[in-house]
Amino acid sequence: MPVYCDHAATSGARADVVRQAVRWYFDECNAAVGRGAYRAARLLQQKLTTGRQAGARLLGLTEPQRLVWTTSATDGLNQALKGLLRQGDHVVTSTWEHNSVLRPLRWLEHSRGITVTRLTPNARGQIDLDDLRRALRPETRLVAMQHASNVIGVLEPIDDLGSVVRNHGAWFLVDAAQTAGLLPVNFDASPIDVWVTSGHKALGGPLGTGLMAVSSRAAEVMEPLRHGGTGSLSEDDEQPRMLPDRFEAGNLNAPGLVGLAAALVDRLQTGTTAVWQHEQQRLEQLWAGLESIAGVTLFGPAPQVVPRTAVVSLHLQGYAPDEVAALLDEHFDIAVRSGFHCAPGCHRSLGTLAQGGTVRISLGPETTSSDVDTVLAAVRQLSQPVG
Ligand SMILES: Cc1ncc(COP(=O)(O)O)c(C=O)c1O
Protein backbone atom coordinates (compact mmCIF):
# COMPACT_ATOMS: atom_id res chain seq x y z
CA MET A 1 0.00 0.00 0.00
CA PRO A 2 1.38 3.44 -0.88
CA VAL A 3 1.77 6.09 1.80
CA TYR A 4 -1.25 8.20 0.81
CA CYS A 5 -0.68 11.92 1.34
CA ASP A 6 -3.37 13.44 -0.89
CA HIS A 7 -6.24 13.71 1.59
CA ALA A 8 -6.94 17.31 0.54
CA ALA A 9 -8.00 15.92 -2.86
CA THR A 10 -10.03 12.98 -1.61
CA SER A 11 -10.14 10.75 1.47
CA GLY A 12 -7.70 7.85 1.83
CA ALA A 13 -8.96 4.35 2.64
CA ARG A 14 -12.70 4.53 3.34
CA ALA A 15 -13.90 3.21 6.71
CA ASP A 16 -15.38 -0.29 6.84
CA VAL A 17 -18.86 1.12 7.55
CA VAL A 18 -18.71 3.14 4.32
CA ARG A 19 -17.48 0.21 2.22
CA GLN A 20 -20.12 -2.07 3.74
CA ALA A 21 -22.87 0.45 2.98
CA VAL A 22 -21.83 0.77 -0.67
CA ARG A 23 -21.53 -3.04 -0.97
CA TRP A 24 -24.99 -3.40 0.63
CA TYR A 25 -26.42 -1.16 -2.07
CA PHE A 26 -25.04 -3.20 -4.96
CA ASP A 27 -25.54 -6.64 -3.34
CA GLU A 28 -28.92 -6.17 -1.73
CA CYS A 29 -30.73 -3.01 -2.74
CA ASN A 30 -30.34 -1.55 -6.23
CA ALA A 31 -33.35 0.79 -5.86
CA ALA A 32 -33.69 4.47 -6.83
CA VAL A 33 -33.96 7.07 -4.05
CA GLY A 34 -37.51 8.28 -3.30
CA ARG A 35 -38.96 6.45 -6.30
CA GLY A 36 -40.57 3.24 -4.98
CA ALA A 37 -42.61 1.82 -2.11
CA TYR A 38 -41.21 -1.70 -2.24
CA ARG A 39 -39.02 -3.06 0.53
CA ALA A 40 -35.57 -2.30 -0.95
CA ALA A 41 -36.60 1.26 -1.84
CA ARG A 42 -38.01 1.83 1.66
CA LEU A 43 -34.82 0.55 3.24
CA LEU A 44 -32.68 2.80 1.06
CA GLN A 45 -34.87 5.77 1.97
CA GLN A 46 -34.51 4.92 5.65
CA LYS A 47 -30.72 4.82 5.43
CA LEU A 48 -30.57 8.17 3.65
CA THR A 49 -33.00 9.74 6.12
CA THR A 50 -30.87 8.49 9.01
CA GLY A 51 -27.76 9.85 7.27
CA ARG A 52 -29.38 13.24 6.62
CA GLN A 53 -30.50 13.45 10.26
CA ALA A 54 -27.00 12.53 11.46
CA GLY A 55 -25.50 15.15 9.10
CA ALA A 56 -27.93 17.78 10.38
CA ARG A 57 -27.01 17.01 13.99
CA LEU A 58 -23.30 17.01 13.19
CA LEU A 59 -23.62 20.43 11.54
CA GLY A 60 -26.08 21.99 13.99
CA LEU A 61 -29.14 22.26 11.72
CA THR A 62 -32.48 22.01 13.52
CA GLU A 63 -34.26 20.98 10.30
CA PRO A 64 -32.63 18.10 8.42
CA GLN A 65 -34.48 19.08 5.21
CA ARG A 66 -32.21 22.13 5.00
CA LEU A 67 -29.30 19.73 4.38
CA VAL A 68 -29.21 18.95 0.65
CA TRP A 69 -27.38 16.06 -1.04
CA THR A 70 -25.13 17.23 -3.87
CA THR A 71 -22.64 15.50 -6.14
CA SER A 72 -19.60 17.52 -4.96
CA ALA A 73 -18.59 20.80 -3.39
CA THR A 74 -18.49 22.22 -6.92
CA ASP A 75 -22.13 21.26 -7.40
CA GLY A 76 -23.20 22.96 -4.14
CA LEU A 77 -21.15 26.10 -4.85
CA ASN A 78 -22.67 26.44 -8.33
CA GLN A 79 -26.12 25.95 -6.82
CA ALA A 80 -25.57 28.64 -4.20
CA LEU A 81 -23.94 31.22 -6.47
CA LYS A 82 -26.22 30.80 -9.47
CA GLY A 83 -29.29 30.30 -7.29
CA LEU A 84 -28.81 33.46 -5.20
CA LEU A 85 -27.20 36.03 -7.50
CA ARG A 86 -29.18 38.27 -9.83
CA GLN A 87 -28.34 40.86 -12.49
CA GLY A 88 -26.47 43.84 -10.99
CA ASP A 89 -25.52 42.16 -7.69
CA HIS A 90 -22.08 42.74 -6.18
CA VAL A 91 -20.08 39.89 -4.62
CA VAL A 92 -17.00 39.84 -2.40
CA THR A 93 -14.70 36.85 -2.41
CA SER A 94 -11.00 36.07 -1.99
CA THR A 95 -8.34 35.56 -4.66
CA TRP A 96 -7.39 32.29 -2.93
CA GLU A 97 -10.68 30.51 -3.57
CA HIS A 98 -10.83 27.22 -5.44
CA ASN A 99 -11.79 27.40 -9.12
CA SER A 100 -15.16 25.97 -8.09
CA VAL A 101 -15.92 29.47 -6.73
CA LEU A 102 -13.76 31.58 -9.06
CA ARG A 103 -15.05 30.08 -12.31
CA PRO A 104 -18.81 30.29 -11.61
CA LEU A 105 -18.23 33.91 -10.52
CA ARG A 106 -16.38 34.69 -13.77
CA TRP A 107 -19.27 33.13 -15.68
CA LEU A 108 -21.79 35.20 -13.70
CA GLU A 109 -19.79 38.35 -14.46
CA HIS A 110 -19.95 37.59 -18.19
CA SER A 111 -23.51 36.30 -18.38
CA ARG A 112 -25.47 37.97 -15.59
CA GLY A 113 -23.69 41.30 -15.18
CA ILE A 114 -22.67 40.80 -11.57
CA THR A 115 -19.55 42.57 -10.27
CA VAL A 116 -16.96 40.92 -8.05
CA THR A 117 -14.40 42.30 -5.58
CA ARG A 118 -11.58 39.84 -4.94
CA LEU A 119 -9.67 40.36 -1.67
CA THR A 120 -6.18 38.99 -1.19
CA PRO A 121 -5.40 37.46 2.22
CA ASN A 122 -2.76 39.13 4.43
CA ALA A 123 0.69 37.74 5.30
CA ARG A 124 -0.94 35.29 7.74
CA GLY A 125 -3.00 33.90 4.86
CA GLN A 126 -6.23 35.34 6.24
CA ILE A 127 -8.74 37.93 5.04
CA ASP A 128 -8.49 41.16 6.97
CA LEU A 129 -11.78 42.21 8.60
CA ASP A 130 -11.14 45.86 7.67
CA ASP A 131 -10.52 44.89 4.03
CA LEU A 132 -13.85 43.08 4.05
CA ARG A 133 -15.67 46.07 5.65
CA ARG A 134 -14.19 48.41 3.03
CA ALA A 135 -15.22 46.11 0.16
CA LEU A 136 -18.90 45.93 1.12
CA ARG A 137 -21.26 48.15 -0.90
CA PRO A 138 -25.00 48.81 -0.68
CA GLU A 139 -25.51 46.39 -3.59
CA THR A 140 -23.30 43.64 -2.11
CA ARG A 141 -25.55 40.62 -2.01
CA LEU A 142 -23.14 37.81 -1.19
CA VAL A 143 -19.72 37.12 0.32
CA ALA A 144 -18.08 33.79 -0.58
CA MET A 145 -15.12 32.56 1.46
CA GLN A 146 -13.36 29.25 1.95
CA HIS A 147 -12.96 27.99 5.50
CA ALA A 148 -9.44 26.72 4.80
CA SER A 149 -7.02 27.09 1.91
CA ASN A 150 -6.51 23.87 -0.01
CA VAL A 151 -2.94 24.98 -0.81
CA ILE A 152 -1.54 25.99 2.60
CA GLY A 153 -4.32 24.88 4.97
CA VAL A 154 -4.67 28.23 6.81
CA LEU A 155 -8.07 28.68 8.51
CA GLU A 156 -10.08 31.83 7.85
CA PRO A 157 -11.73 33.55 10.86
CA ILE A 158 -15.12 32.48 9.52
CA ASP A 159 -17.27 33.58 12.48
CA ASP A 160 -15.77 37.09 12.54
CA LEU A 161 -16.06 37.49 8.77
CA GLY A 162 -19.61 36.16 8.91
CA SER A 163 -20.68 38.66 11.57
CA VAL A 164 -19.51 41.54 9.37
CA VAL A 165 -21.42 40.09 6.42
CA ARG A 166 -24.59 39.46 8.44
CA ASN A 167 -24.52 42.99 9.87
CA HIS A 168 -24.33 44.30 6.34
CA GLY A 169 -27.35 42.19 5.34
CA ALA A 170 -25.62 40.12 2.63
CA TRP A 171 -25.59 36.32 2.22
CA PHE A 172 -22.53 34.50 3.60
CA LEU A 173 -21.44 31.44 1.59
CA VAL A 174 -18.73 29.22 3.09
CA ASP A 175 -16.74 26.65 1.13
CA ALA A 176 -15.94 24.10 3.81
CA ALA A 177 -14.48 21.48 1.46
CA GLN A 178 -11.23 21.39 3.46
CA THR A 179 -12.69 21.43 6.98
CA ALA A 180 -15.97 19.45 6.97
CA GLY A 181 -15.64 16.52 9.34
CA LEU A 182 -12.57 18.03 11.02
CA LEU A 183 -14.00 20.99 12.93
CA PRO A 184 -17.31 21.40 14.77
CA VAL A 185 -20.03 23.39 12.99
CA ASN A 186 -23.04 24.98 14.65
CA PHE A 187 -24.73 26.16 11.49
CA ASP A 188 -27.99 27.56 12.88
CA ALA A 189 -26.13 29.59 15.51
CA SER A 190 -23.59 30.89 12.98
CA PRO A 191 -23.82 33.82 10.55
CA ILE A 192 -23.49 31.40 7.59
CA ASP A 193 -26.32 31.23 5.02
CA VAL A 194 -24.98 28.49 2.79
CA TRP A 195 -22.33 25.99 3.84
CA VAL A 196 -21.01 23.67 1.18
CA THR A 197 -18.66 20.71 1.22
CA SER A 198 -17.57 17.59 -0.61
CA GLY A 199 -18.64 14.31 0.96
CA HIS A 200 -15.50 12.57 -0.23
CA LYS A 201 -12.74 14.40 1.64
CA ALA A 202 -12.42 14.47 5.45
CA LEU A 203 -16.01 13.25 5.89
CA GLY A 204 -14.82 9.98 4.34
CA GLY A 205 -17.73 9.35 1.94
CA PRO A 206 -17.41 8.13 -1.65
CA LEU A 207 -16.54 10.36 -4.62
CA GLY A 208 -19.55 11.88 -6.35
CA THR A 209 -21.10 13.06 -3.07
CA GLY A 210 -21.42 16.40 -1.30
CA LEU A 211 -23.56 18.44 1.09
CA MET A 212 -25.14 21.89 1.07
CA ALA A 213 -26.62 23.34 4.27
CA VAL A 214 -28.88 26.33 3.77
CA SER A 215 -30.38 28.87 6.19
CA SER A 216 -34.17 29.35 6.21
CA ARG A 217 -33.82 32.91 4.88
CA ALA A 218 -31.53 31.89 1.98
CA ALA A 219 -33.74 28.88 1.19
CA GLU A 220 -36.67 31.27 0.73
CA VAL A 221 -35.06 32.91 -2.30
CA MET A 222 -32.54 30.43 -3.72
CA GLU A 223 -33.60 29.17 -7.14
CA PRO A 224 -32.73 25.58 -8.11
CA LEU A 225 -30.06 24.96 -10.74
CA ARG A 226 -31.79 21.86 -12.02
CA HIS A 227 -35.50 21.19 -12.45
CA GLY A 228 -37.00 17.76 -12.87
CA GLY A 229 -38.27 14.61 -11.23
CA THR A 230 -38.04 14.33 -7.46
CA GLY A 231 -40.36 11.40 -6.79
CA SER A 232 -42.64 13.87 -4.95
CA LEU A 233 -45.73 15.85 -6.12
CA SER A 234 -45.34 14.09 -9.47
CA GLU A 235 -48.81 15.08 -10.68
CA ASP A 236 -47.58 18.70 -10.93
CA ASP A 237 -45.18 20.03 -13.59
CA GLU A 238 -43.92 22.81 -11.31
CA GLN A 239 -40.73 22.13 -9.33
CA PRO A 240 -41.74 21.40 -5.71
CA ARG A 241 -40.89 24.30 -3.36
CA MET A 242 -40.38 22.03 -0.37
CA LEU A 243 -36.89 21.15 0.84
CA PRO A 244 -34.76 19.26 0.10
CA ASP A 245 -36.70 18.22 -3.05
CA ARG A 246 -36.41 21.68 -4.66
CA PHE A 247 -32.64 21.18 -5.00
CA GLU A 248 -32.54 17.41 -5.56
CA ALA A 249 -34.06 16.94 -9.03
CA GLY A 250 -33.03 13.85 -10.97
CA ASN A 251 -32.00 10.46 -9.69
CA LEU A 252 -29.54 10.76 -6.84
CA ASN A 253 -26.22 8.91 -6.60
CA ALA A 254 -27.70 6.21 -4.36
CA PRO A 255 -24.57 4.01 -3.96
CA GLY A 256 -22.45 7.06 -3.11
CA LEU A 257 -25.00 8.58 -0.78
CA VAL A 258 -25.56 5.41 1.30
CA GLY A 259 -21.79 5.48 1.78
CA LEU A 260 -21.88 9.15 2.80
CA ALA A 261 -24.87 8.51 5.07
CA ALA A 262 -22.87 5.78 6.88
CA ALA A 263 -19.88 8.13 7.13
CA LEU A 264 -22.07 10.86 8.69
CA VAL A 265 -23.57 8.48 11.25
CA ASP A 266 -20.07 7.33 12.12
CA ARG A 267 -18.63 10.88 12.42
CA LEU A 268 -21.56 11.97 14.59
CA GLN A 269 -20.76 9.12 16.97
CA THR A 270 -16.98 9.64 17.07
CA GLY A 271 -17.00 13.46 16.84
CA THR A 272 -14.51 15.67 15.07
CA THR A 273 -12.07 16.37 17.92
CA ALA A 274 -10.13 13.10 17.81
CA VAL A 275 -9.58 13.31 14.04
CA TRP A 276 -8.50 16.97 14.24
CA GLN A 277 -6.07 16.31 17.10
CA HIS A 278 -4.58 13.28 15.38
CA GLU A 279 -3.99 15.22 12.16
CA GLN A 280 -2.54 18.19 14.07
CA GLN A 281 0.02 15.94 15.77
CA ARG A 282 1.08 14.48 12.42
CA LEU A 283 1.19 17.99 10.92
CA GLU A 284 3.52 19.25 13.64
CA GLN A 285 5.79 16.22 13.14
CA LEU A 286 5.84 16.77 9.36
CA TRP A 287 6.39 20.53 9.61
CA ALA A 288 9.25 20.22 12.12
CA GLY A 289 10.91 17.49 10.02
CA LEU A 290 10.61 19.41 6.76
CA GLU A 291 11.95 22.60 8.36
CA SER A 292 15.14 20.76 9.22
CA ILE A 293 15.83 19.61 5.63
CA ALA A 294 18.16 21.88 3.64
CA GLY A 295 16.67 22.96 0.31
CA VAL A 296 13.03 22.73 1.46
CA THR A 297 10.91 25.90 1.29
CA LEU A 298 7.63 25.70 3.22
CA PHE A 299 4.78 28.01 2.28
CA GLY A 300 2.51 29.88 4.68
CA PRO A 301 2.82 30.42 8.43
CA ALA A 302 3.85 27.58 10.76
CA PRO A 303 0.96 25.75 12.50
CA GLN A 304 2.06 27.26 15.82
CA VAL A 305 1.55 30.76 14.38
CA VAL A 306 -1.75 30.44 12.50
CA PRO A 307 -4.11 27.46 12.85
CA ARG A 308 -4.12 25.29 9.74
CA THR A 309 -5.28 21.93 8.50
CA ALA A 310 -2.76 19.16 7.82
CA VAL A 311 -2.02 20.46 4.31
CA VAL A 312 1.56 21.48 3.56
CA SER A 313 2.88 23.07 0.36
CA LEU A 314 6.60 23.05 -0.39
CA HIS A 315 9.37 23.46 -2.92
CA LEU A 316 12.49 21.32 -3.03
CA GLN A 317 15.54 23.10 -4.40
CA GLY A 318 16.70 21.72 -7.75
CA TYR A 319 13.37 20.14 -8.68
CA ALA A 320 10.11 21.21 -10.27
CA PRO A 321 7.04 20.28 -8.14
CA ASP A 322 5.95 17.68 -10.72
CA GLU A 323 9.38 16.01 -10.56
CA VAL A 324 9.21 15.71 -6.78
CA ALA A 325 5.75 14.14 -6.94
CA ALA A 326 6.85 11.70 -9.66
CA LEU A 327 10.01 10.69 -7.77
CA LEU A 328 8.14 10.21 -4.50
CA ASP A 329 5.66 7.99 -6.31
CA GLU A 330 8.16 5.99 -8.37
CA HIS A 331 10.94 5.42 -5.84
CA PHE A 332 9.20 5.65 -2.47
CA ASP A 333 5.56 4.69 -3.16
CA ILE A 334 4.35 7.97 -1.65
CA ALA A 335 1.28 9.64 -3.21
CA VAL A 336 1.34 13.47 -3.09
CA ARG A 337 -0.10 16.12 -5.40
CA SER A 338 1.84 18.70 -7.39
CA GLY A 339 0.70 21.73 -9.41
CA PHE A 340 -1.79 24.49 -8.74
CA HIS A 341 -4.50 22.58 -6.84
CA CYS A 342 -7.18 24.58 -8.73
CA ALA A 343 -6.32 27.74 -6.76
CA PRO A 344 -4.29 29.98 -9.13
CA GLY A 345 -4.71 33.16 -7.05
CA CYS A 346 -3.06 31.57 -4.03
CA HIS A 347 -0.02 30.69 -6.17
CA ARG A 348 0.08 34.24 -7.49
CA SER A 349 0.42 35.45 -3.87
CA LEU A 350 2.97 32.79 -2.95
CA GLY A 351 5.04 33.53 -6.07
CA THR A 352 4.71 29.92 -7.25
CA LEU A 353 2.60 30.48 -10.37
CA ALA A 354 5.56 30.56 -12.77
CA GLN A 355 7.21 27.61 -11.07
CA GLY A 356 4.60 24.93 -11.61
CA GLY A 357 2.83 25.51 -8.30
CA THR A 358 3.88 23.52 -5.25
CA VAL A 359 4.25 19.97 -3.96
CA ARG A 360 1.29 19.42 -1.63
CA ILE A 361 1.47 16.86 1.16
CA SER A 362 -1.87 16.41 2.91
CA LEU A 363 -2.43 14.06 5.84
CA GLY A 364 -5.50 12.23 7.07
CA PRO A 365 -6.95 10.20 9.93
CA GLU A 366 -5.06 7.04 8.98
CA THR A 367 -1.66 8.77 8.56
CA THR A 368 0.71 7.22 11.11
CA SER A 369 3.81 8.67 12.69
CA SER A 370 5.84 6.13 10.72
CA ASP A 371 4.18 7.32 7.46
CA VAL A 372 5.40 10.84 8.25
CA ASP A 373 8.90 9.47 8.96
CA THR A 374 8.81 7.69 5.58
CA VAL A 375 7.90 10.95 3.83
CA LEU A 376 10.62 12.87 5.68
CA ALA A 377 13.26 10.24 4.86
CA ALA A 378 12.29 10.33 1.17
CA VAL A 379 12.39 14.15 0.95
CA ARG A 380 15.73 14.15 2.80
CA GLN A 381 17.14 11.63 0.35
CA LEU A 382 15.96 13.67 -2.65
CA SER A 383 17.44 16.82 -1.14
CA GLN A 384 20.93 15.30 -1.04
CA PRO A 385 23.17 15.80 -4.07
CA VAL A 386 23.67 12.61 -6.11
CA GLY A 387 27.13 10.96 -6.14
C1 LIG B 1 -11.44 24.50 -1.05
C2 LIG B 1 -12.08 23.60 -2.07
N1 LIG B 1 -13.25 23.94 -2.61
C3 LIG B 1 -13.87 23.17 -3.52
C4 LIG B 1 -13.32 21.99 -3.95
C5 LIG B 1 -14.05 21.17 -4.97
O1 LIG B 1 -14.48 19.97 -4.39
P1 LIG B 1 -15.23 18.85 -5.24
O2 LIG B 1 -14.15 18.06 -5.90
O3 LIG B 1 -15.99 18.05 -4.25
O4 LIG B 1 -16.08 19.51 -6.22
C6 LIG B 1 -12.09 21.59 -3.43
C7 LIG B 1 -11.45 20.34 -3.89
O5 LIG B 1 -10.28 20.13 -3.77
C8 LIG B 1 -11.46 22.40 -2.47
O6 LIG B 1 -10.29 22.07 -1.92
Side-chain angles (χ1 to χ4, degrees):
M1 281 290 277
V3 176
Y4 183 76
C5 294
D6 197 16
H7 290 82
T10 195
S11 161
R14 265 64 177 180
D16 284 346
V17 284
V18 175
R19 290 143 63 118
Q20 278 157 13
V22 177
R23 214 170 294 131
W24 168 84
Y25 178 80
F26 285 117
D27 290 351
E28 297 179 43
C29 180
N30 211 46
V33 184
R35 305 294 201 273
Y38 44 91
R39 199 173 156 275
R42 283 202 316 273
L43 244 140
L44 175 63
Q45 195 62 49
Q46 237 173 50
K47 284 184 192 284
L48 292 193
T49 301
T50 304
R52 203 189 297 268
Q53 284 166 347
R57 280 186 59 198
L58 186 67
L59 302 175
L61 270 97
T62 45
E63 296 154 323
Q65 66 270 26
R66 285 191 282 110
L67 187 61
V68 175
W69 302 123
T70 66
T71 62
S72 59
T74 303
D75 188 27
L77 290 164
N78 271 271
Q79 168 58 67
L81 293 168
K82 295 173 184 171
L84 285 172
L85 293 172
R86 316 269 187 271
Q87 186 79 26
D89 286 343
H90 173 247
V91 175
V92 180
T93 190
S94 92
T95 53
W96 286 21
E97 299 302 306
H98 192 274
N99 275 335
S100 52
V101 168
L102 297 179
R103 288 179 174 173
L105 284 177
R106 270 281 176 236
W107 182 83
L108 285 162
E109 278 180 310
H110 299 318
S111 65
R112 221 176 268 179
I114 67 154
T115 51
V116 181
T117 300
R118 297 170 180 84
L119 301 175
T120 294
N122 57 26
R124 293 165 60 86
Q126 295 175 318
I127 293 293
D128 227 85
L129 286 183
D130 284 336
D131 287 350
L132 174 61
R133 283 191 198 100
R134 274 192 292 272
L136 295 171
R137 305 179 191 164
E139 69 275 20
T140 306
R141 184 161 166 95
L142 183 139
V143 174
M145 293 287 166
Q146 59 189 1
H147 193 183
S149 159
N150 68 328
V151 180
I152 62 169
V154 164
L155 293 178
E156 287 294 338
I158 278 305
D159 288 337
D160 296 342
L161 294 169
S163 300
V164 173
V165 179
R166 202 33 80 100
N167 284 341
H168 189 76
W171 308 119
F172 189 39
L173 166 62
V174 173
D175 172 0
Q178 291 296 329
T179 56
L182 292 175
L183 289 168
V185 183
N186 195 353
F187 182 83
D188 281 347
S190 81
I192 304 171
D193 289 290
V194 193
W195 178 100
V196 168
T197 187
S198 320
H200 61 89
K201 297 185 196 276
L203 282 172
L207 275 153
T209 64
L211 291 170
M212 177 179 76
V214 69
S215 68
S216 307
R217 67 183 202 130
E220 282 286 306
V221 294
M222 194 195 288
E223 291 298 334
L225 262 195
R226 277 174 284 113
H227 302 82
T230 54
S232 55
L233 305 180
S234 299
E235 65 284 10
D236 192 350
D237 68 3
E238 288 283 349
Q239 185 73 12
R241 289 292 299 164
M242 68 203 185
L243 298 176
D245 304 37
R246 193 187 328 154
F247 302 116
E248 291 184 352
N251 254 306
L252 297 178
N253 169 13
L257 290 178
V258 278
L260 178 58
L264 290 168
V265 170
D266 192 45
R267 191 57 55 91
L268 178 65
Q269 273 160 10
T270 54
T272 54
T273 312
V275 189
W276 175 259
Q277 284 175 351
H278 171 88
E279 292 189 13
Q280 287 296 302
Q281 280 166 8
R282 297 289 92 84
L283 169 67
E284 279 166 29
Q285 181 190 353
L286 178 69
W287 190 275
L290 288 170
E291 265 185 331
S292 72
I293 301 175
V296 169
T297 303
L298 292 168
F299 293 97
Q304 300 82 2
V305 179
V306 179
R308 50 192 286 169
T309 59
V311 175
V312 174
S313 258
L314 63 91
H315 273 177
L316 184 56
Q317 198 177 356
Y319 299 92
D322 284 353
E323 283 176 314
V324 177
L327 289 166
L328 289 176
D329 176 42
E330 229 170 274
H331 298 290
F332 303 94
D333 206 11
I334 296 170
V336 301
R337 175 110 177 256
S338 59
F340 302 108
H341 324 299
C342 299
C346 184
H347 291 281
R348 202 164 288 121
S349 296
L350 299 178
T352 50
L353 204 54
Q355 297 166 55
T358 56
V359 180
R360 185 180 73 181
I361 303 174
S362 54
L363 313 178
E366 78 273 16
T367 308
T368 62
S369 175
S370 112
D371 289 339
V372 175
D373 285 340
T374 303
V375 172
L376 291 172
V379 175
R380 196 167 291 117
Q381 201 171 319
L382 290 179
S383 74
Q384 274 147 21
V386 186

